[in-house]
Amino acid sequence: MGALALLLFGIIFLLILKGYPVAFTLAGVSTLFALILMVFVPDAIGMRDLSLLPNRFMGTIDNFMLMAVPLFIFMGIMLEKSGLAESLLETMANLLGRLKGGLAISVVLVGAMLAASTGIVGATVVTMGVISLPVMLKRGYRPELATGVICSSGTLGQIIPPSVVLILLAEQINASTQGAAQVDVGTMFRAAFVPGFLLVVAYIVYIAVISILRPHWAPSVSPEEIAAFRGPGFLGRVLKAFVLPMLLILAVLGSIFAGIASPTEAAAVGAIGATVLTLIEGRLTLDILRQVMQQTAKLTAMVFWILLGATTFTLVFRTLGGDEYLTELIQAADLSAMAFLAIVMIVIFICGFFIDFIEIIFIFVPVVTPIFDLYEVDMLWVGILMAINLQTSFLTPPFGFSLFYLKGVAPPGITTQHLYRGIVPFIIIQVLVIGLIVLFPEIIYLIK
Amino acid sequence: MQTTINFLEAISERVGRLAAWSTALMVAVIFFLVVMRYGFGSFNQQLGELTTYFFALSFLFSSGYALKHDSHVRVDLFYAKWSERRRAWVDLLGTAFFLLPWCLVAIFTCWKYAYNSFKLGEVSSQPSGLPAVWVLKFIILFGFVLLLIQGLALALRSVQTLRQR
Amino acid sequence: ADDTEQVGAGAGAKQAFKQTFDWRMTTVWGKNFPVFGEAANLLSEWVDTMSGGRFKIKVFGSGELVPGLESFDTTAAGTTEMGAGASYYWQGKTPAAAFFAAVPFGMNGQQLQSWLIGGDAEGYELWKEVYAPFNLVPFLAGNTGVQMGGWFNKEINSVADLQGLKMRIPGLAGKALEKAGGASINVAPGELYTNLERGVIDATEWVGPYHDYKLGLNKVAKYYYTPGWHEPGTQLEFFANKDAHDKLPADLKEILYTATLRVQAWVLAEFDARNGEYLAKMKAEGTVMKEFPDAVLSALRGYTEEAITELIGSDPVANKVYASYNAFRTKAKAWSAITERAYYDKIEK
Ligand code: NA
Ligand code: NA
């Protein structure tokens, strides 16, 4: 049966490339595959199994933290309409004018700040895409670089606390170990901080280096423009560009850190904030509001129907024993601790193609944790490695969720190929950072 | 055929545009709850649960609307380069073999799920909660009905394209 | 003729003996969740061994097959054969379900177990009656014992301190807190830790030292309050789809029932053992212990009674169950007063 599950995996892999919407290919092929098996291999799956679909859909609806997605998308689109996001990024680019790639670096920094307020990738990638992709393209950035920067910094939310991935990992690891290993949420957050920071630094270094090596990929601001920018009224312009957006970021992060709102609720604070800013800028009309609502609806639908499609796939995949097949593969191999870790990481990475990260955590962590326990491996370290690995799986062609989400907001000129080519350097960075943490586990203990 | 397409698409468009406001309601209610909790140390269970209903509406009722505006993301490595005819084939076959079976199975199973809850008169599991949990379950069902409606429109449109010489 | 009949009967019995049953059980809790999730795993293991491998129950944690709180629906529908949870999760489906898990200021674990399976097993008969319309059969699955009152970043010295208190405390107890002027806040499980740390909420109840320590609550809250008035001994449950259960041969039915009683014994023992161990650990790490003042408890008791009256409202089944619960409780209380209480007051000072 496990073989049938892998066959399904392969078929979807091929059919998704035909270009029919991802969500419906994922769900539809799984459903059709199940229906066909019902006729020819009735032992494998039945209508009874598919009846679990509504219960699984309910799991997506009943997940309070996923509410951050429409809220953040609302905020991003509203901010874009206000014109403030653009002027903030342009001003930052001008300030960093001499530094090549200044605009892209600004995007990474804004992405890192958003990351500190949510851990939901769909929310950050779409928001960053709406706000910054048009600005970078207008400035003549190479589409590959622009999209790569957004996808990767949009997934930082997973590793920079607070983060749902870290919370779920901590919970599952904790539940599956006996006593000794204490991986509570707070410890996990502290351990993730430095790796998250390393990623941000590594992205920035890459952007700076590539902008020097390939100046036309990231056009620097022209000397005339910088001169004009530095001319009379410089301070006023900077203040004007910074003050309002910074107030917004302060409202979102501040409401979390001051204990006014939970991370998810802070997204609603941000949405209200962005609306107020648009009002202050004198751009809030009923027509603009209507456009914001309609764009939000389309993008929210795009994100969530992929999740509903993924949950359908996972139901069929699991019913056919695909998960058991993989976990047995992991368990059966009589390996050294490091080889075992490597296998686990590879399997999780591959599953990241089609299976929602939450489900990956549910499937694998309870199985592998007791084995890591036997090897007496530090579970905090394994947890952080898994978190970065899951984050990477969001970025990996052909089917990283992050790539889908950005494609959903990108202008028609941006093709899937741009996204695939653009993300490669960032995946290499991810792998390097994972390698660094494997070699120097003390990194995660730098903040006590 | 054009009349049918127009009719089906009008449903997607109208429902989508109306349901699009649910995010605004969600933002307003959550913001209100935050202010009430922080400022006055109070919480309204019913409003708290209502956010989930708006959230469900925000993506389930825009299923067809998003499909009509081609917002459901595609891997267009090849699709982008193909002729209009070939793309119409992808859309027609994709709808017939992927979207249709999924929608039908989902509608069939969701109907049982929602109807059972309705028959039971299921309410919130919290004593101060909302009196009709089954509404939420019907929202899932209608989300798939709307997707099916727009799927049919897409299939008919593809047939139209293929008929053109 | 006799011989053939005997041979026939023997073959039939042999066939029944050979038939295997593969069940799926979904649990409200995460896979391997300490004690709660482990109990489901143990049931599966024991049933398998006792039946010589004829009866297999595959356990799925919350979110594996379906989200945990869907377990009741999937088992009722027969898409899974069994579920594990606590009956108060299903109050929205039938108000009477509130009384087979934990009632604030209600019976403790020992008393509740006596109501359920001691004497005339009145509690269990009612429970079966309440679950029958859902095509479900309930089983006992352990008791948590008296829980802890929760983690607070504000001191509770008087009834006035409940005013504006933001606490994660669901169910009837939450309603009682609302009546006392506090706020029973919905918190997504994934945000509980952050919300308590940042002060979005002032307090949360969870379980007891073992679970609370594992979640790290001792690191984000100042005071650990006792007693757990809201959950004075939470009864856990398994439930089986009735059609699936009916199909089991008599011996497997007995094996299943016996194994659930073994779980019932193990869970309370495990809770008591682990909680003692972790309480010592927590205290050594500096946790500050506090007690709710009597006035606070008596106010909450009054509000709880109001909340219960509202919940049972006009539901005849809930009324009937609560009447039986109360009648049993009165007798159990009088008995405990001169035995258990005397023990704690006079002997284990
Ligand atoms: Na985050
Ligand atoms: Na509790």
Side-chain angles (χ1 to χ4, degrees):
Chain A
M1 301 287 207
L4 285 173
L6 295 191
L7 178 65
L8 172 64
F9 199 93
I11 293 175
I12 292 179
F13 206 92
L14 291 176
L15 287 176
I16 270 188
L17 297 172
K18 295 288 173 197
Y20 194 69
V22 171
F24 312 133
T25 310
L26 205 49
V29 175
S30 307
T31 308
L32 192 64
F33 193 75
L35 293 173
I36 292 171
L37 286 181
M38 278 179 211
V39 179
F40 295 102
V41 196
D43 282 348
I45 194 165
M47 201 56 213
R48 185 169 165 273
D49 300 297
L50 290 186
S51 314
L52 296 171
L53 276 177
N55 307 91
R56 290 177 70 89
F57 296 153
M58 193 50 127
T60 303
I61 293 168
D62 217 7
N63 186 333
F64 181 76
M65 286 177 292
L66 286 179
M67 279 191 207
V69 175
L71 300 174
F72 257 101
I73 293 176
F74 180 112
M75 179 183 88
I77 294 174
M78 188 58 99
L79 208 53
E80 194 245 335
K81 301 280 185 217
S82 74
L84 284 167
E86 186 177 350
S87 88
L88 171 70
L89 288 171
E90 298 246 343
T91 307
M92 283 173 89
N94 265 310
L95 283 175
L96 300 169
R98 302 254 164 71
L99 181 67
K100 296 196 188 309
L103 180 56
I105 292 172
S106 311
V107 170
V108 173
L109 292 176
V110 173
M113 282 191 271
L114 276 187
S117 62
T118 184
I120 306 286
V121 168
T124 36
V125 171
V126 171
T127 309
M128 293 297 295
V130 169
I131 296 174
S132 64
L133 187 55
V135 183
M136 282 200 272
L137 295 176
K138 203 179 97 191
R139 283 274 168 181
Y141 267 67
R142 198 170 185 249
E144 285 85 342
L145 182 61
T147 54
V149 167
I150 295 171
C151 277
S152 50
S153 42
T155 54
L156 283 172
Q158 290 227 333
I159 193 82
I160 297 180
S163 139
V164 192
V165 176
L166 295 174
I167 289 171
L168 287 176
L169 273 170
E171 276 175 5
Q172 290 292 316
I173 289 173
N174 236 338
S176 309
T177 48
Q178 281 309 319
Q182 174 64 28
V183 188
D184 65 62
V185 180
T187 312
M188 198 84 172
F189 280 3
R190 279 188 292 280
F193 192 82
V194 175
F197 183 74
L198 276 178
L199 283 170
V200 174
V201 171
Y203 294 168
I204 291 176
V205 168
Y206 165 72
I207 294 167
V209 170
I210 201 72
S211 318
I212 293 167
L213 295 180
R214 300 261 187 282
H216 58 287
W217 283 20
S220 48
V221 184
S222 67
E224 300 84 54
E225 199 187 329
I226 294 185
F229 177 74
R230 305 244 159 177
F234 165 74
L235 212 62
R237 272 197 298 280
V238 173
L239 276 179
K240 187 171 182 298
F242 266 87
V243 169
L244 292 180
M246 281 302 152
L247 277 178
L248 178 65
I249 288 174
L250 202 71
V252 175
L253 292 187
S255 61
I256 297 174
F257 287 100
I260 297 169
S262 74
T264 306
E265 292 165 343
V269 175
I272 294 274
T275 313
V276 171
L277 293 189
T278 313
L279 187 69
I280 293 174
E281 288 294 290
R283 296 203 189 180
L284 189 68
T285 61
L286 187 63
D287 190 49
I288 290 282
L289 193 58
R290 197 176 287 135
Q291 283 176 33
V292 172
M293 295 332 304
Q294 291 174 3
Q295 254 174 290
T296 304
K298 283 180 222 164
L299 295 180
T300 305
M302 182 267 288
V303 171
F304 280 98
W305 284 86
I306 291 180
L307 292 181
L308 296 181
T311 205
T312 306
F313 163 75
T314 312
L315 176 64
V316 177
F317 184 76
R318 301 203 76 170
T319 305
L320 295 176
D323 55 330
E324 277 172 0
Y325 186 83
L326 291 175
T327 50
E328 273 164 25
L329 196 77
I330 295 174
Q331 284 171 316
D334 188 22
L335 296 163
S336 69
M338 284 307 274
F340 178 71
L341 178 67
I343 296 246
V344 170
M345 296 292 274
I346 290 167
V347 170
I348 288 181
F349 180 77
I350 292 172
C351 287
F353 280 163
F354 289 148
I355 303 177
D356 181 38
F357 74 88
I358 296 177
E359 301 228 25
I360 295 180
I361 295 174
F362 284 151
I363 295 172
F364 292 110
V365 174
V367 180
V368 300
T369 303
I371 304 175
F372 280 120
D373 259 3
L374 290 179
Y375 285 123
E376 294 182 349
V377 179
D378 177 6
M379 277 318 290
L380 185 62
W381 177 63
V382 173
I384 295 294
L385 288 175
M386 283 182 179
I388 306 180
N389 191 10
L390 282 170
Q391 184 214 348
T392 311
S393 77
F394 269 87
L395 301 173
T396 322
F399 307 124
F401 281 78
S402 209
L403 303 170
F404 291 150
Y405 297 151
L406 185 60
K407 181 72 180 49
V409 298
I414 302 297
T415 63
T416 306
Q417 264 170 345
H418 289 132
L419 288 157
Y420 286 0
R421 279 203 296 260
I423 203 63
V424 172
F426 290 93
I427 291 171
I428 295 172
I429 291 175
Q430 296 285 128
V431 173
L432 289 178
V433 170
I434 292 180
L436 205 62
I437 297 170
V438 169
L439 293 177
F440 306 104
E442 43 294 5
I443 289 174
I444 63 171
Y445 290 105
L446 286 177
I447 293 185
K448 287 277 186 296
Chain B
M1 177 146 56
Q2 190 59 49
T3 328
T4 318
I5 295 175
N6 290 345
F7 175 71
L8 295 173
E9 292 195 334
I11 297 176
S12 306
E13 188 70 25
R14 295 227 175 122
V15 175
R17 283 186 178 205
L18 194 63
W21 291 93
S22 58
T23 312
L25 292 172
M26 194 162 89
V27 168
V29 172
I30 295 180
F31 188 74
F32 176 76
L33 288 170
V34 169
V35 171
M36 289 306 288
R37 188 184 57 219
Y38 188 72
F40 305 94
S42 75
F43 179 76
N44 184 310
Q45 179 69 32
Q46 295 204 334
L47 277 181
E49 289 181 8
L50 204 57
T51 54
T52 302
Y53 290 62
F54 292 142
F55 170 53
L57 282 175
S58 78
F59 64 95
L60 285 162
F61 274 33
S62 46
S63 55
Y65 180 67
L67 183 60
K68 176 170 180 275
H69 293 273
D70 202 19
S71 297
H72 290 292
V73 65
R74 304 167 183 265
V75 174
D76 60 358
L77 278 180
F78 311 111
Y79 188 84
K81 293 175 197 143
W82 283 341
S83 68
E84 207 189 344
R85 262 186 89 76
R86 192 148 180 200
R87 282 191 281 185
W89 271 116
V90 168
D91 283 343
L92 180 61
L93 296 177
T95 305
F97 291 106
F98 305 160
L99 190 134
L100 193 71
W102 188 41
C103 280
L104 291 179
V105 168
I107 289 170
F108 173 68
T109 54
C110 286
W111 164 253
K112 288 214 284 197
Y113 182 60
Y115 181 70
N116 277 338
S117 175
F118 170 74
K119 220 169 46 181
L120 196 69
E122 187 175 0
V123 301
S124 164
S125 65
Q126 293 304 312
S128 318
L130 288 172
V133 165
W134 51 267
V135 172
L136 194 56
K137 301 185 173 179
F138 273 100
I139 292 176
I140 310 180
L141 174 69
F142 287 126
F144 277 93
V145 172
L146 288 165
L147 183 61
L148 182 66
I149 288 174
Q150 184 56 37
L152 292 177
L154 176 65
L156 291 177
R157 261 192 196 287
S158 309
V159 170
Q160 247 180 0
T161 308
L162 291 171
R163 271 194 189 164
Q164 282 161 14
R165 275 272 95 191
Chain C
D2 278 350
D3 275 345
T4 21
E5 257 186 334
Q6 261 177 1
V7 169
K14 211 167 183 179
Q15 200 151 34
F17 188 75
K18 264 189 195 160
Q19 197 182 355
T20 60
F21 293 83
D22 284 302
W23 281 19
R24 296 194 288 189
M25 168 156 70
T26 53
T27 69
V28 161
W29 303 287
K31 181 99 172 164
N32 305 339
F33 187 54
V35 198
F36 298 88
E38 289 170 287
N41 298 343
L42 285 174
L43 180 84
S44 160
E45 197 184 310
W46 291 335
V47 165
D48 186 3
T49 311
M50 284 197 273
S51 67
R54 288 158 57 218
F55 192 2
K56 304 251 185 219
I57 300 173
K58 190 173 175 196
V59 180
F60 293 90
S62 173
E64 277 200 289
L65 200 57
V66 290
L69 291 176
E70 298 293 312
S71 307
F72 192 89
D73 282 354
T74 57
T75 310
T79 41
T80 53
E81 289 81 5
M82 206 166 175
S87 70
Y88 56 25
Y89 291 119
W90 327 121
Q91 278 175 47
K93 299 173 197 293
T94 172
F99 303 112
F100 305 106
V103 179
F105 296 102
M107 289 195 263
N108 68 15
Q110 190 177 336
Q111 296 167 336
L112 196 58
Q113 177 177 280
S114 306
W115 176 55
L116 288 170
I117 54 176
D120 303 322
E122 209 176 294
Y124 194 40
E125 290 309 315
L126 285 168
W127 196 359
K128 283 197 261 190
E129 205 176 304
V130 170
Y131 277 19
F134 301 93
N135 207 28
L136 293 174
V137 188
F139 296 94
L140 281 71
N143 194 291
T144 65
V146 185
Q147 297 197 3
M148 280 299 288
W151 295 91
F152 289 70
N153 278 321
K154 276 188 181 168
E155 278 189 75
I156 304 298
N157 295 319
S158 67
V159 182
D161 289 332
L162 297 177
Q163 200 71 38
L165 180 79
K166 294 173 276 186
M167 180 167 185
R168 187 216 87 112
I169 178 166
L172 281 168
K175 183 101 183 184
L177 179 64
E178 279 170 27
K179 287 174 183 286
S184 135
I185 313 273
N186 281 355
V187 178
E191 291 188 336
L192 181 59
Y193 183 91
T194 312
N195 284 356
L196 190 60
E197 183 181 34
R198 300 284 177 212
V200 172
I201 51 172
D202 305 317
T204 185
E205 62 83 37
W206 196 238
V207 188
Y210 183 36
H211 291 81
D212 299 7
Y213 186 91
K214 282 211 156 207
L215 195 60
L217 291 176
N218 53 327
K219 292 186 183 161
V220 286
K222 289 188 209 148
Y223 313 115
Y224 201 17
Y225 267 89
T226 186
W229 59 275
H230 64 297
E231 294 193 66
T234 305
Q235 177 62 45
L236 311 176
E237 65 175 3
F238 294 118
F239 42 83
N241 176 273
K242 191 170 176 303
D243 300 329
H245 185 255
D246 285 347
K247 280 187 199 128
L248 292 177
D251 63 333
L252 292 189
K253 277 188 184 135
E254 205 55 33
I255 283 173
L256 180 62
Y257 183 69
T258 306
T260 60
L261 290 186
R262 185 171 169 194
V263 171
Q264 174 78 3
W266 179 81
V267 166
L268 182 58
E270 181 72 4
F271 265 111
D272 277 343
R274 296 284 180 201
N275 281 332
E277 179 188 344
Y278 278 76
L279 179 64
K281 202 175 203 164
M282 237 176 219
K283 279 183 169 170
E285 290 177 23
T287 292
V288 182
M289 308 297 295
K290 294 255 179 201
E291 265 180 36
F292 289 119
D294 288 344
V296 168
L297 290 175
S298 100
L300 287 169
R301 185 196 311 267
Y303 293 127
T304 297
E305 277 159 18
E306 281 177 29
I308 291 174
T309 313
E310 285 164 27
L311 177 87
I312 54 183
S314 53
D315 190 86
V317 184
N319 268 300
K320 182 168 126 187
V321 173
Y322 189 57
S324 160
Y325 182 99
N326 245 350
F328 192 90
R329 179 161 191 233
T330 310
K331 284 174 255 167
K333 211 165 136 185
W335 171 234
S336 309
I338 56 161
T339 50
E340 293 277 315
R341 185 178 301 146
Y343 171 81
Y344 289 120
D345 289 349
K346 313 273 179 203
I347 301 175
E348 195 194 81
K349 280 188 182 172

